[in-house]
Amino acid sequence: MNAKELHDKTPDQLRDELVNLKKESFNLRFQQATGQLENAARLKTVKRDVARVKTVLNQKAAAAASAE
């Protein structure tokens, strides 16, 4: 997922994406704690995707606030 794809989404879609990523992050951390995690690099990717979604949400909120 890249920032360009995220800019095309609505804030509601971004919030849904954020919830899904946080659930995935929780599941990956749970797998890591129990020793069942196969792809450790996925943790890093999901963490960065969460940050990317939050950044785009904040940018959209700032743009909406300045437009009013």
Side-chain angles (χ1 to χ4, degrees), residues 15-59:
R15 286 187 203 94
D16 290 342
E17 185 72 29
L18 185 61
V19 168
N20 291 336
L21 286 169
K22 286 191 174 206
K23 284 181 185 177
E24 183 177 359
S25 176
F26 172 80
N27 289 332
L28 289 170
R29 284 186 284 121
F30 195 86
Q31 288 175 8
Q32 183 181 31
T34 59
Q36 298 175 348
L37 184 62
E38 294 178 8
N39 185 4
R42 184 70 182 140
L43 276 169
K44 183 178 180 180
T45 307
V46 171
K47 192 174 181 180
R48 287 184 177 193
D49 286 344
V50 167
R52 223 175 256 124
V53 170
K54 285 184 175 183
T55 300
V56 172
L57 268 173
N58 285 333
Q59 288 173 346

